[in-house]
Amino acid sequence: ALQRLLENGEACAFAAGEKLMAQGEASPFALIVLEGEVSIVSERAGSAFPLAAIHAPALIGEIGALADVPRTASAVALTPVASLRVSRASLLEALNSAPDALSAVIRQLGQQIKGLNAALGLYADGFRALEDGELDEALAHDLGHMTPELRNFAEAFGRLAERIQKERRTRADMASA
């Protein structure tokens, strides 16, 4: 199945900084990243928030292509990228003929969802603790030491927590004065 995808894929090259896929666009294809590194980013209000860094070899855009839904994130080349563009039809045909390959795609998605759910749970605890003024060192440590894929979330949460705690100290100092 992989051999057929490699044979039928259209070679594509991207320069560093070039967008491979755009959030919100249709998903008629997936990319097999053969060489290079790609950043998966969420775009909102004119800014892009990095979600993950993907290193070759990797399959990206497969969920949108398989589910025939618009792209949920953009992919931007961090380094020069060599890839193969695989049509939705070719991807479906290959995965239908190779249940093990389909299982691997589902397993990869499951791992991504598992990591995201764990991070969301941890951040929910962190926000609750910040709201209650009870952010302890153990929770702050866990929030600051997330997996590399969630590093950007950890950094953003750390900045927010620091800002909230600083504002609380300032208010307490003003109240004391």
Side-chain angles (χ1 to χ4, degrees):
L2 181 57
Q3 186 61 39
R4 279 196 307 274
L5 284 176
L6 294 173
E7 291 170 359
N8 294 328
E10 174 190 342
C12 300
F14 299 91
E18 192 173 351
K19 194 175 279 188
L20 290 70
M21 300 174 178
Q23 184 173 327
E25 73 182 10
S27 304
F29 66 90
L31 289 174
I32 299 173
V33 178
L34 302 171
E35 296 176 9
E37 185 176 1
V38 176
S39 178
I40 306 301
V41 297
S42 177
E43 297 179 307
R44 185 174 164 91
S47 63
F49 186 79
L51 300 173
I54 307 294
H55 304 272
L59 178 64
I60 62 171
E62 75 282 4
I63 300 305
L66 290 171
D68 197 20
V69 297
R71 305 271 185 219
T72 58
S74 295
V76 178
L78 292 173
T79 65
V81 169
S83 66
L84 292 175
R85 181 182 171 130
V86 179
S87 71
R88 178 178 193 272
S90 293
L91 187 60
L92 285 170
E93 179 184 321
L95 294 177
N96 281 331
S97 68
D100 289 347
L102 180 57
S103 292
V105 169
I106 293 169
R107 190 170 32 260
Q108 177 182 334
L109 178 61
Q111 289 299 321
Q112 292 170 350
I113 291 171
K114 179 183 174 187
L116 186 58
N117 284 345
L120 290 173
L122 186 58
Y123 286 117
D125 286 347
F127 284 123
R128 181 201 42 77
L130 277 175
E131 184 178 54
D132 296 343
E134 299 172 358
L135 184 63
D136 62 37
E137 281 190 44
L139 181 56
H141 178 271
D142 289 347
L143 288 163
H145 294 85
M146 297 297 291
T147 63
E149 296 84 7
L150 298 172
R151 181 181 62 237
N152 295 309
F153 287 118
E155 291 170 357
F157 186 89
R159 288 190 302 271
L160 177 63
E162 187 177 305
R163 182 174 162 204
I164 289 171
Q165 290 173 329
K166 182 179 178 182
E167 287 177 9
R168 282 192 177 141
R169 283 190 300 270
T170 301
R171 277 192 229 129
D173 290 347
M174 291 177 73
S176 294

